[in-house]
């Protein structure tokens, strides 16, 4: 834009300033062979309302971001130029489309699980920006639970500006999954179903609304070990997630804050092996980062959630609708899935989950001053963690949500020091942990990997 403004000025025009009155003239598009003009023009709609040069320039920059966000183009270039009409600027949009078909593979390691994923995608078949993909993945827990297999198969369809609604993305997912969690939670789970969703940025927050239709089957050596004996469930739920995130976009974020609020309602048409089933589930996740001094910074986080059976006589929750938590993240120092109620079965101990979750942390990070670790952007951290996971069995506070006082009373703590290295979208941590209360199912030295959530 700056280069083009200089060219306009050198042609003998009056100096162009941000508040100079200009309107949009003609729009020309080139370089797109498959994508329909209507889809591109919808991303440029805001430019038509600009009335000054500054507004035209800003609207053009926003349009570039919207076009890139579609994921259809390798290059997007917009040029404002003097048109044939006085007081108007023409807009020229040059595009280069991505290949329609792609095949990618990746390996992901997060918090005690490794996954190998293969994804095939074809997009823009009819020029509406739609994407069709099939993703298959296999994985396994490692450490003390090495060999516990899991597998997923998902077919997905996405389309931007669904039903002509600007900025609204529609999606349809069909999925089937298997996970052998017997060593962690005492059951293996088979899941199949579909999910239909709409997502849009609204009031600077990413909003996602989904209708889930899911068939779930749990298998154990003895189904009576499951809470309420619930080994099968058909869940029909509405789930809304709202995410604000203005943290600095760095490998390790040093400033800003983020908030994610998730609410889910299982509709009364849901069923379990014991009859009608309905619940509400609420989860709040917040993060706050602030610089301290010249190079050190503080990372804080708070997570709180409740889930409650409602509208039916059966107050027992299906096991996978409960909360489970532990280490190596987000509650450092605890073994995976070992926060909260536990059950000893023979020589094994399994996590039972709970209907109330509270977890918090404060980490002080400082960069490694020199050497090869500094070249990897490594940081030394000191941390304090606390977490509690309670299970009221539907009793709670007169049948309401778990009492907040009980969640604070049962907080378990850990503190320690460690080394943090950013790795792609996540981070690797090697921590030495101390445990003020003592207790079982805790580690003094932990290696953890996790991926932060960004929308």
């Amino acid at each position: 834009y700056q280069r083009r403004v200089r060219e306009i000025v050198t042609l003998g025009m009056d100096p162009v300033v941000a508040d100079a009155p200009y309107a949009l003239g003609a729009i020309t598009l080139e370089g797109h062979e498959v994508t329909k003009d209507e889809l591109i023009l919808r991303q440029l709609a805001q430019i038509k309302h600009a009335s000054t040069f500054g507004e035209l320039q800003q609207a053009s920059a926003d349009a570039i971001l919207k076009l890139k966000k579609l994921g259809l183009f390798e290059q997007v270039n917009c040029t404002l130029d003097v048109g044939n009409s006085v007081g108007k600027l023409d807009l020229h949009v040059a595009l280069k489309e991505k290949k329609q078909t792609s095949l990618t593979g990746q390996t992901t390691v997060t918090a005690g699980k490794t996954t190998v994923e293969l994804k095939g995608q074809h997009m823009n078949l009819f020029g509406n920006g739609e994407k069709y993909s099939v993703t298959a993945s296999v994985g396994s827990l490692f450490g003390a639970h090495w060999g516990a297999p899991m597998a997923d198969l998902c077919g997905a369809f996405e389309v931007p500006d669904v039903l002509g609604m600007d900025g609204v993305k529609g999606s349809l997912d069909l999925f089937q999954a298997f996970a052998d969690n017997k060593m962690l939670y005492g059951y293996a789970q088979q899941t199949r179903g579909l999910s239909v969703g709409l997502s849009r940025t609204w009031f600077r927050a990413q909003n996602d609304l989904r209708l889930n239709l899911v068939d779930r089957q749990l298998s154990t050596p003895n189904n009576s070990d499951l809470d309420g004996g619930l080994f099968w469930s058909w869940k029909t739920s509405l789930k809304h997630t709202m995410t604000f995130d203005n943290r600095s976009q760095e490998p390790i974020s040093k400033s800003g804050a983020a908030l994610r609020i998730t609410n889910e309602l299982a509709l009364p048409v849901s069923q379990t092996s014991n009859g009608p089933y309905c619940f509400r589930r609420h989860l709040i996740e917040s993060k706050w980062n602030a610089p301290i001094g010249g190079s050190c910074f503080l990372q804080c986080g708070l997570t709180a959630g409740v889930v409650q059976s409602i509208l039916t006589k059966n107050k027992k929750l299906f096991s996978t609708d409960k909360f489970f938590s532990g280490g190596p993240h987000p509650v450092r120092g605890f073994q995976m899935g070992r926060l909260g109620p536990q059950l000893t079965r023979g020589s094994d101990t399994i996590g039972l989950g709970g209907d109330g979750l509270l977890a918090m942390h404060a980490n002080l990070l400082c960069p490694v001053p020199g050497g090869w670790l500094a070249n990897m952007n490594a940081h030394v951290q000191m941390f304090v963690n606390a977490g509690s996971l309670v299970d009221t069995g539907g009793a709670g506070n007169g049948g309401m949500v778990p009492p907040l006082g009980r969640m604070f009373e049962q907080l378990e703590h850990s503190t320690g020091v460690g080394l943090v290295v950013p790795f792609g979208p996540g981070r690797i941590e090697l921590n030495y942990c101390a445990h003020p209360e003592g207790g079982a199912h805790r580690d003094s030295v932990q290696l953890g990997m996790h991926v932060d959530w960004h929308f």
Side-chain angles (χ1 to χ4, degrees):
Y1 290 124
Q2 292 177 350
R3 183 178 71 253
R4 192 57 194 159
V5 169
R6 288 195 296 269
E7 291 175 359
I8 293 175
V9 173
T10 57
L11 290 175
M13 291 185 59
D14 294 332
V16 179
V17 293
D19 57 353
Y22 276 95
L24 180 65
I27 299 177
T28 57
L29 309 175
E30 69 172 22
H32 59 296
E33 300 178 359
V34 180
T35 309
K36 292 183 178 179
D37 290 351
E38 293 82 358
L39 177 61
I40 300 172
L41 292 174
R42 280 201 295 269
Q43 316 311 310
L44 306 176
Q46 191 63 32
I47 301 179
K48 299 178 181 179
H49 304 291
S51 58
T52 67
F53 178 80
E55 291 178 359
L56 281 168
Q57 188 180 44
Q58 182 60 52
S60 299
D62 293 342
I64 291 176
L65 293 177
K66 292 182 69 175
L67 286 167
K68 288 183 176 180
K69 195 173 181 180
L70 292 175
L72 305 176
F73 307 107
E74 288 186 9
Q75 297 179 6
V76 180
N77 295 305
C78 294
T79 304
L80 288 171
D81 203 351
V82 178
N84 295 323
S85 302
V86 178
K88 291 188 177 183
L89 294 178
D90 292 342
L91 177 66
H92 179 72
V93 182
L95 305 165
K96 182 180 179 181
E97 292 176 323
K98 293 182 178 180
K99 293 181 179 179
Q100 289 181 275
T101 304
S102 64
L103 181 65
T104 59
Q106 66 177 17
T107 300
T108 305
V109 182
T110 57
K113 183 178 73 173
T114 180
T115 304
V116 178
E117 178 182 282
L118 183 66
K119 179 178 180 179
Q121 176 176 276
H122 186 85
M123 61 184 183
N124 223 11
L125 179 62
F126 300 107
N128 296 310
E130 68 277 9
K131 298 178 182 178
Y132 310 85
S133 65
V134 176
T135 303
S137 64
V138 293
S140 177
L141 299 178
F142 60 84
H145 309 290
W146 177 260
M150 55 196 69
D152 299 272
L153 179 64
C154 178
F157 168 72
E158 295 181 2
V159 60
D161 297 345
V162 61
L163 300 178
M165 296 184 289
D166 183 36
V168 179
K169 182 175 71 174
S171 62
L172 170 66
D173 299 331
L174 298 172
F175 54 88
Q176 182 160 346
F178 171 80
D180 185 352
N181 292 317
K182 291 178 182 177
M183 298 186 70
L184 277 178
Y185 310 129
Y187 57 77
Q189 178 182 357
Q190 297 185 59
T191 304
R192 61 187 65 85
L194 66 88
S195 176
V196 181
L198 298 173
S199 61
R200 182 186 183 185
T201 300
W202 190 40
F203 290 119
R204 298 184 180 180
Q206 182 71 18
N207 289 267
D208 184 78
L209 178 64
R210 308 196 71 83
L211 172 66
N212 301 303
L213 306 174
V214 188
D215 176 78
R216 301 174 294 177
Q217 177 83 38
L218 304 182
S219 59
T220 68
N222 185 350
N223 287 337
S224 63
D225 291 337
L226 297 168
D227 194 6
L230 302 179
F231 61 89
W232 171 82
S233 169
W234 170 265
K235 181 177 73 170
T236 303
S237 73
L238 285 173
K239 184 176 182 179
H240 176 255
T241 301
M242 180 172 62
T243 306
F244 300 87
D245 196 342
N246 68 349
R247 291 173 294 174
S248 57
Q249 299 298 305
E250 305 170 73
I252 301 179
S253 179
K254 300 178 181 179
S255 62
L259 175 67
R260 182 165 64 183
I261 302 174
T262 304
N263 296 291
E264 183 177 12
L265 173 64
L267 303 176
V269 293
S270 302
Q271 294 284 323
T272 69
S273 49
N274 287 357
Y277 181 56
C278 184
F279 69 86
R280 60 187 182 97
R281 195 175 195 267
H282 312 283
L283 182 65
I284 298 176
E285 302 165 273
S286 61
K287 300 188 178 185
W288 174 73
N289 306 326
I292 299 177
S295 58
C296 298
F297 54 97
L298 188 67
Q299 291 187 332
C300 299
L302 174 67
T303 299
V306 294
V307 57
Q308 176 195 7
S309 178
I310 58 175
L311 302 180
T312 60
K313 295 180 180 180
N314 183 12
K315 298 303 179 183
K316 297 296 183 180
L317 290 165
F318 196 70
S319 292
T320 57
D321 293 325
K322 295 182 178 182
F323 295 107
F324 293 86
S325 188
H329 182 82
V331 188
R332 297 167 179 85
F334 287 78
Q335 294 177 2
M336 182 185 296
R338 291 299 180 252
L339 183 67
Q342 308 288 316
L343 173 67
T344 300
R345 181 189 296 160
S347 59
D348 298 328
T349 301
I350 60 175
L352 298 178
D355 52 15
L357 171 66
L358 180 64
M360 58 194 76
H361 70 86
N363 297 28
L364 177 63
L365 293 95
C366 298
V368 174
W372 60 273
L373 285 174
N375 295 333
M376 297 175 64
N377 196 21
H379 287 67
V380 176
Q381 72 170 355
M382 295 181 290
F383 62 86
V384 178
N385 283 236
S388 69
L389 187 61
V390 301
D391 186 22
T392 65
N397 184 13
M400 300 303 289
V401 298
L404 187 61
R406 179 175 172 182
M407 297 168 71
F408 276 100
E409 289 173 1
Q410 298 188 15
L411 278 174
E412 301 180 73
H413 305 80
S414 66
T415 183
V417 296
L419 184 68
V420 180
V421 180
F423 183 76
R427 58 201 281 175
I428 302 173
E429 296 187 12
L430 177 62
N431 295 317
Y432 174 79
C433 311
H435 309 280
E437 298 99 350
H441 311 301
R442 308 192 186 195
D443 293 325
S444 296
V445 179
Q446 269 191 339
L447 176 65
M449 304 179 186
H450 66 91
V451 178
D452 195 12
W453 50 267
H454 287 273
F455 65 84

